[in-house]
């Protein structure tokens, strides 16, 4: 009922009295409703009655402490707790929509990147997600208005508060402790509850499992990968003494190769390169939190990304073995080109760690017609060409990595750059915007390829192209967008489709074209390129394999975009559950769940072992900063 004031029903007065007389009940109900929203977005099974047991006990424990410790202005503490918990749930929703994984406190390392990716973040915010903050605004109005309730202090029932606190903590521990061993982070959060999971990641000390240093050898790595050295090596030195140009294409997925939408070919230039050269169609991303910068790291080191955080932030101080350093030893000049500022994703430190001679960033390219992070691809390629020509005229070959970026999420390129008009059913969708931006990226690439040929650089170079990471996350697509992807594929869009990126090798001096069914990933680019250039890897530790020679078997551990324990084998993608037994199997052909279940538990264990070996190896490497300081002393 409403209370009467001055002969009129006053809703505000009623709400205030409710929050003051029963704050723990009212705030708990609010948190329950917000938790239900987060569960509906994040978990495959959606929200259920289990949210009461998974989320409410954590909330009650916090609110009992407020009831016990707070005196005057108790509602202020409730409001602050509400704000913190709401922010955690909102961050979990948005992080899942962008990455498909659970957010943790480790993501705080990305805070300085948010400004640069704000367009991507805003594009994922559906209006109804913002309703999660509505109560905070209303409560703030009540709290800061003049009211006889503001300084209210209800007598405490300490025994009842203590009892509820103890029971709540016991239920939280019951949710957490039995589920600590789960591999899949999403499954673990669902088993524990989102708030319990976040608390667990902060309090639990996840020390990496140490392996014996004797195991950190190339021979052992190949043994774990179940591959043997090749006796009759093919294509070794077929591009000897040539320049190396690696073009990393932003958000490029394999389904774009040869794709026509109502008679319009989306990427004619890239598709032509695929048809005329060596194309690996079962090639997959291996990036994590650092996305594009992680791709640069993996490709240039043939090492796996760290378990937590971006490689550029976790490993950038290490003296990393790398492709630039390897080629430096054979007389190569090395440089990397990107229109963004070099400090973004800590690239300046990364480039020192992997040994590039020079980098070219926004200071060189300018911010003319800036899109998202910097100048568009046309300017990237146009201003890169003079430097490539200059390096080509030197007496020694060069290695140049060129990083495109205009086709970046959320793919809203300016109309003046758009070169195709999408059919009406694609307009206003992320799929349509993605295809438009990739069509522009392909146009700019075509101009660059023509310039390389006209300048004479093309014939004297080995050119490699690949996608840096996925562009269309399954979890970000609306129902209508998923239907468009089903129209494109002729079937449901799956995990294997999502992380499938193209890899093309062009060697003008060794003509020929082929579609290679061999499984490969970004970690395999370094050894594949080294073989073609005739550069022995010697004792340099690497976790990839030469895709032209070791064609029988491959195993690709995955992290971050897929749960821990997931991997690709030569037959399928295995997606881990709590462990192996409740995991899911997907065919590499992309036709849904695999019936063969060919990915074995033994492979599951070997994939985890490979990640462990890589982590231990990199962590044992010395810091280049320490060595640099020693040289200056």
């Amino acid at each position: 009922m409403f209370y009467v004031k001055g002969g009129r029903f006053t809703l505000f007065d009623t709400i205030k009295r409710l929050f003051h007389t029963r704050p723990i009940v009212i705030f708990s109900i609010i948190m329950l409703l917000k938790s239900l929203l987060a569960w509906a977005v994040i978990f495959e099974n959606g929200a259920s009655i289990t949210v009461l047991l998974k989320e409410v006990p954590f909330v009650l424990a916090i609110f009992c402490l407020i009831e016990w410790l707070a005196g005057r202005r108790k509602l202020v503490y409730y409001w602050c707790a509400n704000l913190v918990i709401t922010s955690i749930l909102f961050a979990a929703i948005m992080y899942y929509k962008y990455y498909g994984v659970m957010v943790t406190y480790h993501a705080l390392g990305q805070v300085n990147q948010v400004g640069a990716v704000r367009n991507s973040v805003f594009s994922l915010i559906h209006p109804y997600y913002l309703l999660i903050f509505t109560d905070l605004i209303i409560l703030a109005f009540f709290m800061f208005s003049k009211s006889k309730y503001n300084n209210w202090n209800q007598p405490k029932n300490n025994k009842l508060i203590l009892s509820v606190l103890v029971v709540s903590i016991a239920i939280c521990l019951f949710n957490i402790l039995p589920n600590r061993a789960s591999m899949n982070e999403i499954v673990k959060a669902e088993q524990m509850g989102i708030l319990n999971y976040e608390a667990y990641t902060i309090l639990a000390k996840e020390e990496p499992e140490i392996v014996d240093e004797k195991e950190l050898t190339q021979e052992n790595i190949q043994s774990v990968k179940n591959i043997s050295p090749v006796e009759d090596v093919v294509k070794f030195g077929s591009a000897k003494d040539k320049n190396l140009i690696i073009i990393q294409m932003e958000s490029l997925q394999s389904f774009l190769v040869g794709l026509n939408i109502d008679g319009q070919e989306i990427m004619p230039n890239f598709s032509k390169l695929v048809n005329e050269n060596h194309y690996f169609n079962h090639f997959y991303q291996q990036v994590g939190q650092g996305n594009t910068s992680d791709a640069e790291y993996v490709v240039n080191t043939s090492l796996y990304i760290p378990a937590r955080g971006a490689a550029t932030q976790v490993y950038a101080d290490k003296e990393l073995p790398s492709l630039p350093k390897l080629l430096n030893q054979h007389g190569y000049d090395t440089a990397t080109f990107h229109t963004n500022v070099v400090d973004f994703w800590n690239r300046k430190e990364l480039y020192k760690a992997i040994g590039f001679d020079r980098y070219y960033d926004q200071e060189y390219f300018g911010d003319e017609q800036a899109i998202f992070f910097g100048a568009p691809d046309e300017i990237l390629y146009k201003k890169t060409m003079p430097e490539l020509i200059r390096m080509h005229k030197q007496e020694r070959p060069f290695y140049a990595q060129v990083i495109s970026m205009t086709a970046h999420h959320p793919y809203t390129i300016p109309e003046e750059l758009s070169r195709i008009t999408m059919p009406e059913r694609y307009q206003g969708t992320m799929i349509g915007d993605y295809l438009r931006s990739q069509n522009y990226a392909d146009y700019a690439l075509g101009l660059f390829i023509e310039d390389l040929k006209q300048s004479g650089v093309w014939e004297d170079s080995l050119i490699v192209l690949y996608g840096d990471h996925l562009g269309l996350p399954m979890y970000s697509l609306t129902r209508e967008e998923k239907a468009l992807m089903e129209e494109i594929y002729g079937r449901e869009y799956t995990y294997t489709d999502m992380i499938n990126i193209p890899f093309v090798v062009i060697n003008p001096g060794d003509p020929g074209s082929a579609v290679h069914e061999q499984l490969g990933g970004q970690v395999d680019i370094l050894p594949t390129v080294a073989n073609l250039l005739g550069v022995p890897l010697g004792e340099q530790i690497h976790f990839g394999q030469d895709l032209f020679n070791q064609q029988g078997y491959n195993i690709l551990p995955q992290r971050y975009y897929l749960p821990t324990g997931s991997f690709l084998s030569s037959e399928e993608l295995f997606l881990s559950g709590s462990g192996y037994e409740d995991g899911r199997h997907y065919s590499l052909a992309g036709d849904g769940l695999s019936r063969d279940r060919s990915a074995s538990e033994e492979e599951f264990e070997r994939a985890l072992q490979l990640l462990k070996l890589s982590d231990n190896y990199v962590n044992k490497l010395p810091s280049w900063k320490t060595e640099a300081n020693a040289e200056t002393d």
Side-chain angles (χ1 to χ4, degrees):
M1 63 176 292
F2 296 131
Y3 294 91
V4 177
K5 183 176 181 180
R8 297 171 60 189
F9 290 103
T10 307
L11 177 60
F12 283 2
D13 202 41
T14 302
I15 294 174
K16 288 177 182 178
R17 184 175 291 274
L18 282 173
F19 274 103
H20 281 80
T21 57
R22 297 288 183 271
I24 192 169
V25 175
I26 300 301
F27 276 94
S28 296
I29 292 172
I30 290 173
M31 290 297 100
L32 172 62
L33 294 174
K34 294 181 180 186
S35 297
L36 287 169
L37 171 61
W39 277 59
V41 174
I42 295 171
F43 301 124
E44 188 174 325
N45 297 322
S48 68
I49 194 66
T50 59
V51 178
L52 277 170
L53 295 174
K54 299 292 179 65
E55 305 295 353
V56 172
F58 183 94
V59 169
L60 281 175
I62 300 297
F63 291 166
C64 282
L65 291 174
I66 292 175
E67 287 289 334
W68 193 316
L69 300 174
R72 295 163 61 87
R73 307 279 183 183
K74 184 184 297 182
L75 285 190
V76 174
Y77 293 100
Y78 268 107
W79 188 90
C80 291
N82 184 356
L83 175 62
V84 172
I85 296 172
T86 300
S87 299
I88 292 172
L89 294 173
F90 183 73
I93 291 171
M94 297 309 301
Y95 210 75
Y96 176 80
K97 294 292 287 182
Y98 193 78
Y99 288 106
V101 298
M102 287 302 302
V103 69
T104 68
Y105 75 95
H106 298 281
L108 292 173
Q110 287 181 273
V111 169
N112 64 332
Q113 319 291 348
V114 170
V117 297
R118 58 185 179 276
N119 291 331
S120 294
V121 174
F122 292 153
S123 73
L124 297 174
I125 299 178
H126 293 285
Y128 68 84
Y129 294 160
L130 296 175
L131 293 176
I132 202 170
F133 292 103
T134 304
D135 66 297
L136 287 159
I137 299 171
I138 296 172
L139 290 174
F141 176 79
F142 290 148
M143 287 166 49
F144 293 107
S145 63
K146 291 183 179 180
S147 169
K148 63 183 179 181
Y149 301 119
N150 277 353
N151 295 317
W152 168 86
N153 191 10
Q154 185 184 24
K156 299 176 182 177
N157 185 338
N158 286 336
K159 289 185 178 180
L160 178 60
I161 293 171
L162 179 61
S163 299
V164 175
L165 176 62
V166 170
V167 171
S168 296
I169 292 175
I171 295 174
C172 288
L173 292 174
F174 179 77
N175 287 326
I176 293 172
L177 296 178
N179 300 309
R180 291 175 297 167
S182 293
M183 299 294 296
N184 186 319
E185 291 81 0
I186 295 287
V187 171
K188 186 183 289 187
E190 188 173 15
Q191 291 170 337
M192 291 183 176
I194 295 173
L195 299 174
N196 289 322
Y197 174 77
E198 298 300 339
Y200 169 78
T201 59
I202 293 173
L203 298 176
K205 292 184 178 181
E206 296 185 11
E207 297 292 339
E209 188 177 345
I210 305 299
V211 300
D212 193 313
E213 196 162 348
K214 294 179 181 178
E215 296 182 46
L216 300 178
T217 66
Q218 194 60 43
E219 183 180 7
N220 184 53
I221 292 168
Q222 290 182 311
S223 174
V224 176
K225 284 171 63 70
N226 200 20
I227 60 173
S228 303
V230 178
E231 292 184 4
D232 298 320
V233 178
V234 300
K235 292 188 178 297
F236 183 79
S238 60
K240 188 171 180 58
D241 296 328
K242 282 193 170 188
N243 306 313
L244 171 63
I245 301 174
I246 291 183
I247 305 173
Q248 180 169 294
M249 302 292 291
E250 175 66 42
S251 304
L252 184 63
Q253 291 184 218
S254 291
F255 78 91
L256 293 166
V257 175
L259 178 63
N260 279 269
I261 301 294
D262 291 2
Q264 297 182 99
E265 189 168 7
I266 302 302
M267 300 196 73
N269 295 304
F270 189 84
S271 298
K272 186 169 186 272
L273 294 174
V274 165
N275 293 331
E276 295 177 352
N277 297 281
H278 293 278
Y279 172 54
F280 294 82
N281 62 346
H282 286 156
F283 195 81
Y284 295 88
Q285 71 171 48
Q286 293 181 282
V287 302
Q289 185 175 331
N291 281 327
T292 298
S293 62
D294 274 352
E296 293 175 72
Y297 167 81
V298 174
V299 167
N300 281 293
T301 64
S302 193
L303 302 169
Y304 302 124
I305 59 170
R308 296 282 184 272
T312 50
Q313 294 171 330
V314 179
Y315 291 155
D317 67 328
K318 297 295 185 179
E319 191 65 66
L320 298 166
S322 68
L323 184 58
K325 290 177 182 176
L326 180 68
L327 295 181
N328 275 150
Q329 294 170 12
H330 289 78
Y332 275 72
D333 184 19
T334 62
T336 183
F337 300 79
H338 193 301
T339 59
N340 198 356
V341 292
V342 73
D343 292 321
F344 188 62
W345 280 119
N346 202 32
R347 276 190 174 92
K348 189 172 185 178
E349 301 290 285
L350 173 68
Y351 295 156
K352 291 178 181 177
I354 61 179
F356 274 113
D357 292 323
R358 293 178 309 286
Y359 64 80
Y360 298 79
D361 72 336
Q362 193 173 96
E363 185 177 346
Y364 172 76
F365 291 102
D367 56 2
E368 180 185 353
Q369 300 176 326
I371 302 172
F372 306 129
F373 306 116
D377 285 355
E378 283 180 85
I379 293 176
L380 164 71
Y381 295 135
K382 182 179 179 180
K383 290 192 174 182
T384 295
M385 271 309 304
E387 283 301 293
L388 298 188
I389 292 171
R390 182 190 64 78
M391 289 190 287
H392 183 54
K393 291 179 179 178
Q394 298 177 143
E395 294 183 357
R396 56 178 178 153
F398 68 80
Y399 161 37
Q401 184 169 34
V402 185
I403 314 294
S404 78
M405 73 89 207
T406 303
H408 191 282
H409 188 277
Y411 316 121
T412 50
I413 63 171
E415 282 299 323
E416 60 267 22
L417 295 185
S418 181
R419 305 188 63 79
I420 57 172
T421 300
M422 298 304 300
E424 185 176 351
R425 65 188 182 280
Y426 284 88
Q427 292 182 14
T429 69
M430 184 162 69
I431 310 299
D433 290 341
Y434 176 74
L435 297 179
R436 285 175 59 247
S437 65
Q438 290 293 358
N439 176 260
Y440 166 76
D442 182 76
Y443 165 74
L445 175 66
L447 296 178
F448 185 47
I449 297 300
E450 188 59 32
D451 285 344
L452 288 171
K453 290 180 178 179
Q454 292 293 329
S455 66
V457 175
W458 177 270
E459 286 297 323
D460 293 331
S461 302
L462 173 67
I463 301 100
V464 171
L465 300 95
Y466 64 93
D468 61 352
H469 56 74
L470 61 87
L472 296 172
M474 298 164 58
Y475 18 83
S476 296
L477 303 181
T478 65
R479 184 178 303 172
E480 293 75 16
E481 290 166 343
K482 289 178 181 178
L484 290 174
M485 293 303 290
E486 190 167 339
E487 174 189 319
I488 289 172
Y489 277 95
R491 53 172 171 74
E492 183 183 0
Y493 182 51
T494 68
Y495 286 100
T496 48
D497 303 320
M498 183 179 72
I499 63 172
N500 184 202
I501 57 174
F503 175 48
V504 184
V505 177
I506 305 165
N507 186 2
D510 182 25
S513 63
V515 176
H516 300 266
E517 300 288 336
Q518 164 70 15
L519 175 69
Q522 289 165 326
V523 75
D524 298 316
I525 291 179
L526 188 155
T528 300
V529 164
N531 175 68
L532 296 173
L533 293 175
V535 176
L537 288 174
E539 298 300 316
Q540 180 166 318
I541 293 292
H542 58 281
F543 285 80
Q545 61 195 58
D546 172 17
L547 296 181
F548 283 109
N549 284 282
Q550 291 164 322
Q551 298 183 359
Y553 179 79
N554 202 351
I555 185 169
L556 302 174
Q558 290 288 328
R559 269 178 169 163
Y560 208 76
Y561 275 102
L562 297 180
T564 299
S566 300
F567 66 92
L568 293 118
S569 68
S570 294
E571 298 296 330
E572 64 180 23
L573 163 68
F574 173 77
L575 202 68
S576 69
S578 298
Y580 175 78
E581 290 301 327
D582 61 340
R584 288 180 285 176
H585 301 250
Y586 292 86
S587 169
L588 292 189
D591 57 359
L593 286 174
S594 171
R595 296 184 180 89
D596 297 333
R597 294 177 63 88
S598 62
S600 67
E601 187 169 6
E602 184 259 346
E603 286 180 307
F604 170 73
E605 296 295 341
R606 288 197 287 113
L608 292 174
Q609 180 66 10
L610 286 171
L611 293 174
K612 192 190 306 178
L613 289 172
S614 180
D615 293 345
N616 274 262
Y617 174 70
V618 179
N619 286 328
K620 290 178 184 297
L621 292 173
S623 169
W624 62 262
K625 293 182 178 180
T626 302
E627 293 187 4
N629 291 336
E631 290 178 3
T632 57
D633 288 344

